[in-house]
Amino acid sequence: MNRVFIAEKPSMGRALAAILGRPVPKEGYIAVGDDAVTWCFGHLLEAVPPEGYDPELKIWRRESLPIIPNTWKMEARKDAKGQVKVIRELLRQASTVVNFGDPEREGQLIVDELLQHLAWKGHTLRLWLNSTDEKSIRKALASMSDNANYVNLSHAALARSRSDWLVGLNLTRALTLIGRSQGVIPSGQVLSVGRVQTPVLHIVVMRDEEIERFVPRDFFIPYIQAAHKNGEFKAKWYPQENMEGLDSDNRLVSEKVAKEIVDAATGRSGVVTSMESKLQKKEPPLPHTLGSLQAAADSQYGLSAQATLDIAQSLYERQFTSYPRTDCPYLKEEQFADAEELLKSLAEAGCRGAENANHELRSGAWNSAKVEAHHGIIPTGVKPSGLKPDEERIYALIAEGYICQFYPPYQYMAHTVVVDLGGNVWKASGRSVVDLGWRGIFTADDETKDLLLPAGMAKGDPIECLKAEYEAKKTTPPARYTEGTLLDAMQHVDRFVTDPRMKKYLKDAKGIGTSATQAGIIETLKGRGFLSRKGKQLVSTALGRMLVNAVPLPLKDVQTTAIWEALLSKMASGDIAFEAFMSEQERLVRSLLQQTELVKFPGAKPPTLCPECGQALQLMSSKKSGAYWACFNKAGHNGSNAYYPDDNGRPGKKREPAVATGPMIPCPEPGCGKNMRRLESSKKAGCFFWVCENKAHPIRKDVEGRPGDPFEASLKAKRGKK
Ligand SMILES: [Zn+2]
Ligand SMILES: [Zn+2]
């Protein structure tokens, strides 16, 4: 076998195979002549859980934290074992492997970690693809480079995933155990924290608290109905600097001053002190990034960020649109050559504005220097078919984002007249549209309509005040977050810091999380019960607030996570060593754990003490037995842990160990040679079972006083019958 291509997803593998030659489908891969194309389903491997390092770690205990693996172990995901085997077999026969992960750090790692897991050391190339149409694939195939060139990218993804694991796992366990021991959460509730999710939750909580603290204030807007010889118009009072009665936002908050202004204007005449008309141009918005697409879909159709990402991903996999997980709105200059053909196919597909677009117009979107790993999301020209209604909407948003590049700017004259009257300054503005340009594609709104002032006004013209009044208004609190505005906040977290150095880090990192993960973060916070959706609004729950208010600052501060992202992108470009970053992460985890020791949740109850030894008990829970209490002070209980069932939030009567009865009998397990002991259940008197001296051997049923089938085997047999 010649080359083995490993794609990130089956759909990508199939698209590639169709172009390489005559595809022959096989089990888990496609043969194409001498080559094979196989695939992952995202990450096929996962970090083994703590109990994979030490069975004792399955139990959540504060004493066992921090959990920091010396040598990290990966294992195949349960549902991916078959595919890993297929790839292992293919690698045995391969002369060259091609990493065909998605073109980003996560895609790089998905294939690289698999190659490492399977100990592949041979020749490896990288196929880097931004669009999945045939032309782009052929171009990329002709320019594959050595996969080793991407090792830093791989490291950055690995560092991210390991630090997520370290922080998430250790701090989630610590805070959950503290919450349980202080009696503020039920035993099944998990207080999860994460590198990105906790700062995002913090952002929402801060906003919600600001809204609830908000006290509306009255303010006043004086205005006049003014008469010019060519017509009437309404002009608003314009505050002068250092005037009496203004607040810090230059709002007039004194009703007394408002009355004085109105009285001074009533019945007076004044003069136009300036009349300006300026041509304003608005260039078309750049093509969509994932963030702008999600925001548009949320505000126009109420689609969740995750739903929009899923649809964009599916459109991409069906080759209708380009790669969706992009932060960059720009396009490569050479893509301009595709415009005529692409617009034609969009017109045939009935896309709004495509028919009248001018393919020779070149907007500011074509700028290769600004394109990083991916360009803006655009249609590929493959005619979409079989789209569901929401898919059609997302496709239209993407198509229109492209089409409007081929329209002239929206142009209008902005008129401003300033009037001096009654000792005050009054302003009115108007607008006359010169050319709708790209705005003409979209439905008309207030901004695209004319707003007229009397014609021919000029400096020095006399003005009469027909009527003077003031409007009373109330200041309004900031708006609750929606999924769209929260995504926007994640992408522009620099708003939340003042330090200019931090601002720059955050801008370079393009926010917290990646556009690929941001929607998932919101889903997680909703799933944990920290955020709830009320209509379009996202509101923090009491549980979410309790958590945010208790966690140490570095865990919720956007600066921490932003610095991490900045470091990761430095690692991707080879400026920071992987090992240095990871040892810093370990130090941080230890320090965060120390800080959580001081956490006191509101309403915390004193610890529940062990009725036998007086040490603090831990409230535990397991799927099998529900809530129970554990004492890990072995010294107080003859060298073993003590367990108590939960009795309405208190430790109940202790479970007694099972009692041995009768003589021992040799274990029937082949080659064991040890003995089995017959025990009577402490829960159910008269109920017996058999346990081998070799603890690894299964517990057996009691059949007429002798060891019968193992419990597990009979369970499996039952399941098999179903
Ligand atoms: Zn005890
Ligand atoms: Zn045995």
Side-chain angles (χ1 to χ4, degrees):
M1 189 168 293
N2 187 8
R3 298 175 296 181
V4 172
F5 292 84
I6 307 178
E8 181 167 329
K9 289 178 287 289
S11 60
M12 301 298 293
R14 282 192 293 271
L16 175 65
I19 283 165
L20 283 175
R22 209 170 56 80
V24 182
K26 305 270 186 179
E27 187 68 40
Y29 72 102
I30 299 171
V32 190
D34 221 11
D35 294 333
V37 179
T38 186
W39 44 77
C40 307
F41 321 105
H43 286 279
L44 294 186
L45 306 178
E46 59 190 4
V48 306
E51 56 267 33
Y53 297 93
D54 176 357
E56 287 266 306
L57 294 177
K58 193 176 168 87
I59 299 170
W60 289 30
R61 297 179 49 191
R62 280 157 86 175
E63 293 77 3
S64 59
L65 303 178
I67 298 170
I68 300 176
N70 281 324
T71 311
W72 288 74
K73 294 185 198 165
M74 302 292 285
E75 62 186 5
R77 258 172 32 204
K78 256 196 191 125
D79 55 345
K81 290 205 164 98
Q83 189 61 13
V84 171
K85 209 173 143 202
V86 167
I87 296 173
R88 187 195 303 273
E89 280 309 310
L90 288 171
L91 291 187
R92 288 223 172 97
Q93 312 157 44
S95 63
T96 295
V97 168
V98 181
N99 178 338
F100 182 29
D102 283 1
E104 46 159 357
R105 70 182 186 206
E106 216 54 43
Q108 184 67 37
L109 180 64
I110 283 171
V111 178
D112 281 352
E113 70 186 2
L114 194 63
L115 293 179
Q116 194 187 353
H117 187 70
L118 299 175
W120 168 259
K121 299 235 159 41
H123 184 227
T124 315
L125 294 172
R126 176 69 159 112
L127 178 58
W128 187 273
L129 213 61
N130 277 319
S131 294
T132 58
D133 57 295
E134 181 170 347
K135 209 165 128 194
S136 311
I137 296 183
R138 286 195 190 285
K139 224 191 263 177
L141 274 170
S143 60
M144 290 193 286
S145 65
D146 194 329
N147 191 49
N149 296 340
Y150 296 86
V151 65
N152 291 327
L153 196 62
S154 210
H155 275 166
L158 187 62
R160 184 205 56 78
S161 109
R162 286 189 180 169
S163 51
D164 278 356
W165 194 94
L166 287 177
V167 171
L169 182 116
N170 283 294
L171 276 302
T172 295
R173 283 193 177 196
L175 282 158
T176 303
L177 289 170
I178 292 168
R180 286 180 193 166
S181 72
Q182 296 184 357
V184 294
I185 50 168
S187 64
Q189 173 74 48
V190 170
L191 290 177
S192 77
V193 289
R195 200 172 56 85
V196 180
Q197 61 167 281
T198 308
V200 171
L201 178 60
H202 187 211
I203 286 173
V204 179
V205 170
M206 282 193 297
R207 171 66 59 88
D208 287 348
E209 288 176 348
E210 188 185 349
I211 292 168
E212 280 143 37
R213 274 198 313 266
F214 186 84
V215 182
R217 290 193 64 183
D218 294 322
F219 69 100
F220 307 92
I221 305 176
Y223 66 90
I224 52 172
Q225 190 64 29
H228 177 265
K229 63 177 189 280
N230 295 336
E232 289 181 17
F233 61 98
K234 184 175 164 180
K236 271 189 195 166
W237 175 77
Y238 190 74
Q240 301 298 295
E241 243 174 83
N242 301 323
M243 272 189 63
E244 187 197 340
L246 295 180
D247 70 4
S248 59
D249 293 324
N250 262 356
R251 281 181 300 229
L252 180 60
V253 289
S254 160
E255 190 164 13
K256 181 173 148 276
V257 174
K259 271 188 186 133
E260 288 167 8
I261 292 169
V262 164
D263 288 345
T266 304
R268 294 296 180 86
S269 48
V271 66
V272 172
T273 54
S274 106
M275 174 70 210
E276 269 184 14
S277 292
K278 258 195 203 156
L279 182 65
Q280 299 285 343
K281 276 191 193 181
K282 287 199 173 163
E283 298 294 334
L286 292 166
H288 277 298
T289 60
L290 178 59
S292 70
L293 184 65
Q294 285 169 322
D298 177 43
S299 78
Q300 292 183 34
Y301 306 117
L303 281 175
S304 78
Q306 186 67 49
T308 300
L309 172 56
D310 292 344
I311 291 172
Q313 178 69 27
S314 152
L315 291 172
Y316 162 67
E317 286 177 17
R318 285 180 280 167
Q319 306 185 18
F320 302 147
T321 54
S322 66
Y323 188 73
R325 292 165 152 88
T326 175
D327 301 327
C328 166
Y330 292 95
L331 303 172
K332 289 192 176 162
E333 278 145 35
E334 63 257 33
Q335 289 175 288
F336 186 69
D338 306 333
E340 184 174 6
E341 210 178 309
L342 187 44
L343 285 170
K344 222 168 89 190
S345 66
L346 291 175
E348 279 162 17
C351 292
R352 211 154 56 146
E355 204 167 342
N356 297 320
N358 177 358
H359 68 85
E360 287 175 353
L361 278 181
R362 198 183 181 105
S363 75
W366 278 269
N367 189 337
S368 298
K370 290 195 172 170
V371 176
E372 293 165 12
H374 320 288
H375 53 69
I377 311 175
I378 58 170
T380 58
V382 174
K383 196 178 172 194
S385 57
L387 296 189
K388 295 180 200 125
D390 279 343
E391 292 176 331
E392 257 171 36
R393 293 184 180 116
I394 298 297
Y395 183 81
L397 285 174
I398 294 171
E400 286 160 12
Y402 180 76
I403 292 165
C404 68
Q405 305 309 314
F406 302 93
Y407 276 79
Y410 163 52
Q411 298 184 62
Y412 61 93
M413 295 298 288
H415 314 290
T416 311
V417 59
V418 181
V419 172
D420 200 337
L421 190 146
N424 278 290
V425 177
W426 309 80
K427 261 190 187 181
S429 46
R431 175 178 52 234
S432 35
V433 174
V434 176
D435 181 0
L436 275 176
W438 61 272
R439 299 277 318 227
I441 307 175
F442 303 100
T443 318
D445 58 25
D446 280 351
E447 236 190 273
T448 52
K449 284 180 201 143
D450 285 342
L451 180 69
L452 294 175
L453 290 175
M457 281 202 287
K459 188 174 172 183
D461 285 359
I463 296 291
E464 294 296 322
C465 173
L466 300 177
K467 183 176 85 177
E469 269 175 8
Y470 62 84
E471 263 178 81
K473 296 222 166 192
K474 275 189 194 304
T475 56
T476 49
R480 298 264 182 203
Y481 279 110
T482 63
E483 294 209 7
T485 57
L486 184 57
L487 281 172
D488 187 64
M490 286 163 142
Q491 283 146 16
H492 302 99
V493 273
D494 53 296
R495 284 180 207 149
F496 298 92
V497 298
T498 46
D499 181 336
R501 214 167 48 109
M502 288 296 151
K503 263 190 190 298
K504 186 177 178 321
Y505 277 151
L506 290 163
K507 273 191 182 148
D508 290 348
K510 292 184 176 150
I512 45 174
T514 64
S515 54
T517 56
Q518 282 157 346
I521 294 289
I522 298 180
E523 292 299 309
T524 301
L525 291 171
K526 289 193 288 188
R528 290 285 185 202
F530 301 154
L531 291 183
S532 68
R533 196 173 159 139
K534 293 191 176 133
K536 277 190 180 182
Q537 296 178 341
L538 281 177
V539 184
S540 55
T541 62
L543 186 67
R545 290 179 194 203
M546 182 190 82
L547 176 62
V548 153
N549 290 325
V551 299
L553 183 64
L555 259 183
K556 60 183 169 188
D557 188 354
V558 292
Q559 295 197 151
T560 315
T561 192
I563 291 169
W564 292 2
E565 285 290 353
L567 292 174
L568 289 176
S569 80
K570 276 188 185 164
M571 193 184 305
S573 53
D575 297 329
I576 289 181
F578 176 76
E579 293 73 17
F581 179 86
M582 286 315 297
S583 63
E584 184 55 25
Q585 291 304 307
E586 290 173 13
R587 195 196 58 76
L588 182 78
V589 166
R590 288 177 206 280
S591 137
L592 287 172
L593 282 175
Q594 267 176 12
Q595 295 174 57
T596 54
E597 286 301 316
L598 307 173
V599 164
K600 191 149 185 266
F601 288 108
K605 298 178 188 83
T608 303
L609 302 180
C610 176
E612 283 177 25
C613 75
Q615 296 280 317
L617 286 175
Q618 286 189 27
L619 181 58
M620 318 285 289
S621 87
S622 78
K623 276 192 192 119
K624 244 196 285 170
S625 38
Y628 63 96
W629 296 85
C631 175
F632 297 110
N633 175 27
K634 288 186 178 169
H637 305 274
N638 294 324
S640 56
N641 299 330
Y643 300 102
Y644 305 89
D646 181 59
D647 182 9
N648 282 322
R650 302 288 313 163
K653 201 168 171 299
K654 192 174 167 186
R655 287 173 204 161
E656 292 302 331
V659 184
T661 57
M664 311 254 276
I665 286 182
C667 174
E669 198 80 14
C672 174
K674 303 229 166 167
N675 287 317
M676 295 202 94
R677 193 187 297 276
R678 187 173 185 247
L679 299 173
E680 182 172 5
S681 165
S682 60
K683 282 185 206 155
K684 230 179 174 181
C687 205
F688 296 91
F689 57 95
W690 290 84
V691 179
C692 180
E693 286 171 311
N694 178 347
K695 289 270 157 42
H697 284 165
I699 295 170
R700 288 174 180 272
K701 289 181 179 172
D702 181 72
V703 181
E704 291 167 4
R706 296 197 59 85
D709 283 340
F711 277 97
E712 266 173 54
S714 60
L715 273 177
K716 266 183 201 157
K718 256 189 217 165
R719 276 195 213 115
K721 271 177 212 160
K722 281 178 192 170

Short mmCIF file of all heavy atoms in Angstrom, two decimals, residues 525-549:
data_model
loop_
_atom_site.label_atom_id
_atom_site.label_comp_id
_atom_site.label_asym_id
_atom_site.label_seq_id
_atom_site.Cartn_x
_atom_site.Cartn_y
_atom_site.Cartn_z
N LEU A 525 -22.89 25.31 30.35
CA LEU A 525 -23.37 26.11 31.47
C LEU A 525 -24.87 25.94 31.67
O LEU A 525 -25.37 25.94 32.79
CB LEU A 525 -23.01 27.58 31.26
CG LEU A 525 -21.51 27.89 31.36
CD1 LEU A 525 -21.22 29.31 30.92
CD2 LEU A 525 -21.01 27.67 32.79
N LYS A 526 -25.59 25.78 30.56
CA LYS A 526 -27.03 25.54 30.68
C LYS A 526 -27.27 24.14 31.26
O LYS A 526 -28.10 23.95 32.13
CB LYS A 526 -27.71 25.67 29.30
CG LYS A 526 -27.77 27.11 28.80
CD LYS A 526 -28.71 27.27 27.61
CE LYS A 526 -28.14 26.65 26.35
NZ LYS A 526 -28.94 26.96 25.15
N GLY A 527 -26.49 23.17 30.75
CA GLY A 527 -26.67 21.78 31.18
C GLY A 527 -26.38 21.58 32.66
O GLY A 527 -27.01 20.76 33.32
N ARG A 528 -25.41 22.35 33.20
CA ARG A 528 -25.06 22.22 34.61
C ARG A 528 -26.04 22.93 35.52
O ARG A 528 -25.92 22.88 36.74
CB ARG A 528 -23.68 22.82 34.87
CG ARG A 528 -22.54 22.03 34.28
CD ARG A 528 -22.28 20.79 35.09
NE ARG A 528 -21.10 20.08 34.59
CZ ARG A 528 -20.88 18.79 34.81
NH1 ARG A 528 -21.74 18.09 35.50
NH2 ARG A 528 -19.80 18.23 34.34
N GLY A 529 -26.95 23.69 34.92
CA GLY A 529 -27.92 24.42 35.73
C GLY A 529 -27.37 25.75 36.24
O GLY A 529 -27.89 26.31 37.20
N PHE A 530 -26.31 26.29 35.60
CA PHE A 530 -25.74 27.57 36.02
C PHE A 530 -26.37 28.73 35.26
O PHE A 530 -26.38 29.86 35.73
CB PHE A 530 -24.23 27.59 35.81
CG PHE A 530 -23.50 26.50 36.56
CD1 PHE A 530 -22.27 26.03 36.10
CD2 PHE A 530 -24.03 25.95 37.71
CE1 PHE A 530 -21.60 25.03 36.79
CE2 PHE A 530 -23.36 24.95 38.40
CZ PHE A 530 -22.14 24.49 37.93
N LEU A 531 -26.82 28.46 34.03
CA LEU A 531 -27.50 29.47 33.23
C LEU A 531 -28.83 28.89 32.79
O LEU A 531 -28.94 27.69 32.56
CB LEU A 531 -26.71 29.81 31.96
CG LEU A 531 -25.39 30.55 32.08
CD1 LEU A 531 -24.83 30.82 30.69
CD2 LEU A 531 -25.57 31.86 32.82
N SER A 532 -29.84 29.76 32.67
CA SER A 532 -31.07 29.26 32.08
C SER A 532 -31.52 30.24 31.01
O SER A 532 -31.20 31.43 31.06
CB SER A 532 -32.15 29.06 33.14
OG SER A 532 -32.55 30.31 33.64
N ARG A 533 -32.22 29.71 30.03
CA ARG A 533 -32.65 30.55 28.92
C ARG A 533 -34.10 30.95 29.15
O ARG A 533 -34.97 30.10 29.33
CB ARG A 533 -32.50 29.76 27.62
CG ARG A 533 -32.54 30.65 26.40
CD ARG A 533 -32.22 29.88 25.13
NE ARG A 533 -32.77 30.64 24.01
CZ ARG A 533 -32.15 30.82 22.85
NH1 ARG A 533 -31.00 30.26 22.62
NH2 ARG A 533 -32.71 31.54 21.90
N LYS A 534 -34.34 32.28 29.18
CA LYS A 534 -35.71 32.77 29.32
C LYS A 534 -36.04 33.53 28.06
O LYS A 534 -35.58 34.65 27.89
CB LYS A 534 -35.83 33.68 30.55
CG LYS A 534 -35.63 32.89 31.83
CD LYS A 534 -36.00 33.66 33.08
CE LYS A 534 -35.87 32.74 34.28
NZ LYS A 534 -35.16 33.36 35.40
N GLY A 535 -36.82 32.92 27.17
CA GLY A 535 -37.01 33.51 25.85
C GLY A 535 -35.65 33.54 25.19
O GLY A 535 -34.96 32.54 25.14
N LYS A 536 -35.25 34.73 24.73
CA LYS A 536 -33.93 34.84 24.10
C LYS A 536 -32.84 35.11 25.13
O LYS A 536 -31.66 35.06 24.81
CB LYS A 536 -33.93 35.97 23.08
CG LYS A 536 -34.49 35.58 21.72
CD LYS A 536 -34.22 36.69 20.71
CE LYS A 536 -34.77 36.32 19.35
NZ LYS A 536 -34.49 37.37 18.37
N GLN A 537 -33.25 35.44 26.37
CA GLN A 537 -32.26 35.88 27.35
C GLN A 537 -31.60 34.71 28.08
O GLN A 537 -32.23 33.69 28.35
CB GLN A 537 -32.93 36.77 28.40
CG GLN A 537 -33.47 38.05 27.81
CD GLN A 537 -34.18 38.88 28.85
OE1 GLN A 537 -34.58 38.38 29.90
NE2 GLN A 537 -34.35 40.15 28.56
N LEU A 538 -30.32 34.91 28.40
CA LEU A 538 -29.60 33.96 29.24
C LEU A 538 -29.46 34.58 30.62
O LEU A 538 -28.91 35.68 30.74
CB LEU A 538 -28.20 33.71 28.68
CG LEU A 538 -28.07 32.75 27.51
CD1 LEU A 538 -26.61 32.71 27.07
CD2 LEU A 538 -28.55 31.37 27.87
N VAL A 539 -29.95 33.89 31.64
CA VAL A 539 -29.91 34.45 32.98
C VAL A 539 -29.19 33.47 33.90
O VAL A 539 -29.39 32.26 33.81
CB VAL A 539 -31.34 34.71 33.50
CG1 VAL A 539 -31.31 35.38 34.86
CG2 VAL A 539 -32.11 35.57 32.51
N SER A 540 -28.33 34.00 34.79
CA SER A 540 -27.62 33.12 35.71
C SER A 540 -28.58 32.64 36.80
O SER A 540 -29.43 33.39 37.27
CB SER A 540 -26.43 33.85 36.33
OG SER A 540 -26.86 35.05 36.95
N THR A 541 -28.41 31.37 37.21
CA THR A 541 -29.26 30.81 38.26
C THR A 541 -28.62 31.07 39.62
O THR A 541 -27.45 31.47 39.70
CB THR A 541 -29.41 29.30 38.08
OG1 THR A 541 -28.10 28.72 38.21
CG2 THR A 541 -29.98 28.95 36.72
N ALA A 542 -29.36 30.79 40.69
CA ALA A 542 -28.82 30.97 42.04
C ALA A 542 -27.58 30.09 42.22
O ALA A 542 -26.59 30.51 42.81
CB ALA A 542 -29.89 30.61 43.08
N LEU A 543 -27.64 28.87 41.67
CA LEU A 543 -26.50 27.95 41.78
C LEU A 543 -25.28 28.52 41.06
O LEU A 543 -24.16 28.51 41.59
CB LEU A 543 -26.90 26.60 41.17
CG LEU A 543 -25.90 25.46 41.30
CD1 LEU A 543 -25.74 25.05 42.75
CD2 LEU A 543 -26.32 24.28 40.44
N GLY A 544 -25.50 29.05 39.85
CA GLY A 544 -24.41 29.64 39.08
C GLY A 544 -23.77 30.80 39.82
O GLY A 544 -22.55 30.94 39.85
N ARG A 545 -24.59 31.62 40.45
CA ARG A 545 -24.04 32.78 41.18
C ARG A 545 -23.27 32.34 42.42
O ARG A 545 -22.22 32.89 42.73
CB ARG A 545 -25.18 33.68 41.63
CG ARG A 545 -25.80 34.37 40.46
CD ARG A 545 -26.92 35.24 40.93
NE ARG A 545 -27.71 35.63 39.78
CZ ARG A 545 -28.47 36.69 39.76
NH1 ARG A 545 -28.55 37.46 40.82
NH2 ARG A 545 -29.15 36.98 38.68
N MET A 546 -23.82 31.33 43.11
CA MET A 546 -23.14 30.85 44.31
C MET A 546 -21.74 30.37 43.94
O MET A 546 -20.76 30.68 44.61
CB MET A 546 -23.95 29.72 44.93
CG MET A 546 -23.35 29.18 46.21
SD MET A 546 -24.17 27.67 46.77
CE MET A 546 -23.35 26.46 45.75
N LEU A 547 -21.66 29.63 42.83
CA LEU A 547 -20.38 29.09 42.40
C LEU A 547 -19.40 30.22 42.04
O LEU A 547 -18.28 30.27 42.55
CB LEU A 547 -20.59 28.17 41.20
CG LEU A 547 -19.31 27.59 40.58
CD1 LEU A 547 -18.56 26.74 41.59
CD2 LEU A 547 -19.64 26.77 39.34
N VAL A 548 -19.86 31.13 41.20
CA VAL A 548 -18.98 32.21 40.74
C VAL A 548 -18.49 33.06 41.91
O VAL A 548 -17.33 33.45 41.97
CB VAL A 548 -19.71 33.09 39.70
CG1 VAL A 548 -19.15 34.49 39.69
CG2 VAL A 548 -19.56 32.47 38.32
N ASN A 549 -19.39 33.33 42.85
CA ASN A 549 -18.99 34.19 43.95
C ASN A 549 -18.02 33.50 44.90
O ASN A 549 -17.33 34.16 45.67
CB ASN A 549 -20.22 34.70 44.70
CG ASN A 549 -20.99 35.69 43.84
OD1 ASN A 549 -20.39 36.45 43.08
ND2 ASN A 549 -22.31 35.65 43.91
#
